[in-house]
Amino acid sequence: MDLVDKVRIDKWLWAARFFKTRSLATDAVEGGRVHLNGERVKPARSVKAGDLVRVQVEHGEFTLTVLALAERRGPAEFARTLYTESEDSRLRREQLAFERSLAPQLDHAQIRGRPTKKHRRQLDRFNSGS
């Protein structure tokens, strides 16, 4: 893959596969969910090897050290070589995932959107107490 000297942070996040598209990465940086070396940055800010990046995505918060730079998105195996996650960050994410797995699930796995006629009747029966 192409390794370079400096890369925009939104491009690097996309190449490291934290976001599916560059526009999602740009929105995250603009929204303040990405910090570089402890400070909030703009999408055009350059990243270099050794920088500390904190990324907050829907499946957790990552604290990373940049190992290599890439402008193009490649296979997942290559993307994992671009950074290393701190041990503290990994343990915190695993703990939160475990806590989420213990929380009660309030939505029904088969119901998406509006309830069907059958489910609506079941809800009516449940709510009426009979």
Side-chain angles (χ1 to χ4, degrees), residues 8-25:
R8 291 172 51 119
I9 191 160
D10 60 342
K11 258 189 179 181
W12 185 83
L13 289 167
W14 168 72
R17 294 182 166 262
F18 282 97
F19 297 97
K20 196 166 191 160
T21 64
R22 275 196 56 200
S23 61
L24 288 175

Side-chain angles (χ1 to χ4, degrees), residues 4-52:
V4 292
D5 294 338
K6 62 180 184 175
V7 177
R8 291 172 51 119
I9 191 160
D10 60 342
K11 258 189 179 181
W12 185 83
L13 289 167
W14 168 72
R17 294 182 166 262
F18 282 97
F19 297 97
K20 196 166 191 160
T21 64
R22 275 196 56 200
S23 61
L24 288 175
T26 302
D27 292 343
V29 174
E30 288 174 345
R33 293 180 306 192
V34 176
H35 290 75
L36 180 66
N37 296 323
E39 58 186 49
R40 199 172 159 177
V41 293
K42 293 184 178 179
R45 180 75 172 268
S46 294
V47 179
K48 61 184 184 306
D51 282 347
L52 187 68

Side-chain angles (χ1 to χ4, degrees), residues 63-65 84-94:
T63 304
L64 314 164
T65 303
T84 181
E85 183 178 7
S86 71
E87 190 66 23
D88 187 39
S89 170
R90 187 184 61 77
L91 292 174
R92 199 171 341 118
R93 273 188 318 103
E94 287 176 356

Side-chain angles (χ1 to χ4, degrees), residues 102-121:
L102 295 178
Q105 300 296 319
L106 301 177
D107 55 340
H108 194 279
Q110 295 175 343
I111 300 177
R112 303 216 188 268
R114 291 179 56 177
T116 63
K117 193 171 191 177
K118 177 182 176 183
H119 289 123
R120 192 177 66 243
R121 287 180 179 153

